[in-house]
Amino acid sequence: MANTGPTQKPLCQDDLDARLKTSRSFEAAVFTSAVALDELDLKECLFTDCLFDLPAVRGADFSGAQFKDCRFSPGRFASCKFAGARFQGTNFFDADQKKGCTFAFCDLRDVEAEKCNFAVSTFERCDMHDFRARECSFRGVRFHASTFTKVISKRVIVTRGRFEACNFTFTDFSGVSLESCEFLTCKFLDTAFFDVNLTDAIMRDCTLDKAEWERANLTRADFRGSTISGLNLAVLSGYTGLMIGESQQTELLERLGVSVHPD
């Protein structure tokens, strides 16, 4: 069992059931295998300073729930709903085990996260349309077959996500469509963008060092103000309309073997 805080107390099933019928509010509670969360309706619940120490949760509905200063032990959330959930100061990473959480087939649409730690977590085949994060760590996270895309009609598909001041060091986005997503003042170090669609994406004032870009599509992407060390246009699948600043052009051309000299 993970270490609990001095005021945190394990929750029993009877107490859980009673609170769900009344306040739907939990403070300094510890959720262990002693309570059953599988397939449970936890919509609009408020969790403050809680610890979730469960190996697996299946089918729980956390839609619209709020998590403030909570902690999650490494575990697996399968087919759970977090649509419209809000996370603030919440930690999904165990520093001692160096493990994060796994979200598989989860609904993470319209999630807001601020100052959270998702390091070394996995988002596997999750719906993450309009996921928004600020000052969060996604260090070492793997986005496997997850999507930020919403199908409006047969002809209209919208991709949306916004990240500000987030850390994506060692993150693996391989094969993910990030079309039209926004990344502002984010850090990308040794990040994998293999086969990633960044068409119309905004990556302003970011640090993009040693990233892997093979077959990435940067068509009309906005990279102005970002450091782009290691970006080689020759390995991209597309970059028509790529926007960069004047100070960035020399570095890009030199990667192509073009020597730039003053007039």
Side-chain angles (χ1 to χ4, degrees):
M1 180 174 174
N3 293 329
T4 61
T7 61
Q8 291 177 321
K9 296 182 179 179
L11 200 67
C12 67
Q13 190 67 47
D14 289 341
D15 193 14
L16 171 61
D17 295 339
R19 293 197 201 182
L20 289 177
K21 293 177 181 178
T22 54
S23 67
R24 300 181 72 83
S25 178
F26 301 86
E27 184 172 356
V30 180
F31 294 82
T32 67
S33 298
V35 296
L37 298 188
D38 288 358
E39 308 292 339
L40 195 62
D41 179 1
L42 296 160
K43 293 192 296 289
E44 307 292 339
C45 285
L46 173 61
F47 302 96
T48 304
D49 190 29
C50 292
L51 169 62
F52 292 82
D53 192 25
L54 296 151
V57 179
R58 299 175 181 84
D61 191 349
F62 294 95
S63 298
Q66 297 183 52
F67 301 82
K68 184 176 181 181
D69 300 323
C70 293
R71 187 157 53 98
F72 287 75
S73 298
R76 179 180 177 86
F77 291 85
S79 301
C80 293
K81 296 179 180 179
F82 291 91
R86 302 293 180 261
F87 297 93
Q88 183 177 14
T90 295
N91 189 9
F92 297 86
F93 173 69
D94 188 296
D96 293 331
Q97 301 182 57
K98 293 182 173 57
K99 291 182 179 180
C101 293
T102 296
F103 298 89
F105 302 94
C106 289
D107 184 352
L108 293 159
R109 293 172 298 167
D110 192 35
V111 164
E112 285 188 10
E114 182 177 6
K115 297 182 179 179
C116 296
N117 189 355
F118 295 94
V120 203
S121 293
T122 298
F123 295 92
E124 181 179 346
R125 301 183 184 278
C126 293
D127 185 348
M128 303 184 69
H129 176 74
D130 206 14
F131 191 104
R132 301 179 299 281
R134 183 175 180 272
E135 296 182 43
C136 293
S137 175
F138 294 89
R139 182 183 177 91
V141 165
R142 183 168 175 256
F143 293 91
H144 175 65
S146 289
T147 179
F148 293 85
T149 298
K150 179 180 181 180
V151 178
I152 306 296
S153 67
K154 291 182 179 180
R155 295 185 177 182
V156 180
I157 298 176
V158 179
T159 305
R160 184 177 298 153
R162 180 181 172 88
F163 301 87
E164 183 178 353
C166 293
N167 186 355
F168 292 97
T169 298
F170 301 118
T171 300
D172 187 355
F173 284 108
S174 296
V176 174
S177 176
L178 298 172
E179 183 176 354
S180 301
C181 289
E182 297 182 50
F183 298 89
L184 307 175
T185 62
C186 292
K187 181 179 181 181
F188 300 89
L189 177 63
D190 286 305
T191 305
F193 289 106
F194 298 114
D195 300 297
V196 170
N197 182 9
L198 284 159
T199 299
D200 293 314
I202 297 174
M203 304 187 81
R204 297 290 302 271
D205 302 314
C206 294
T207 302
L208 292 153
D209 292 334
K210 300 180 182 178
E212 301 289 345
W213 298 100
E214 279 76 358
R215 299 174 303 280
N217 187 351
L218 306 188
T219 299
R220 297 186 304 276
D222 186 353
F223 275 43
R224 287 176 292 176
S226 295
T227 61
I228 50 176
S229 174
L231 177 58
N232 186 350
L233 299 181
V235 304
L236 301 177
S237 66
Y239 56 87
T240 301
L242 172 65
M243 287 183 281
I244 60 172
E246 186 177 356
S247 61
Q248 298 167 295
Q249 63 181 334
T250 299
E251 185 172 5
L252 277 184
L253 289 172
E254 287 180 347
R255 294 284 300 180
L256 293 173
V258 178
S259 181
V260 181
H261 299 276
D263 293 335

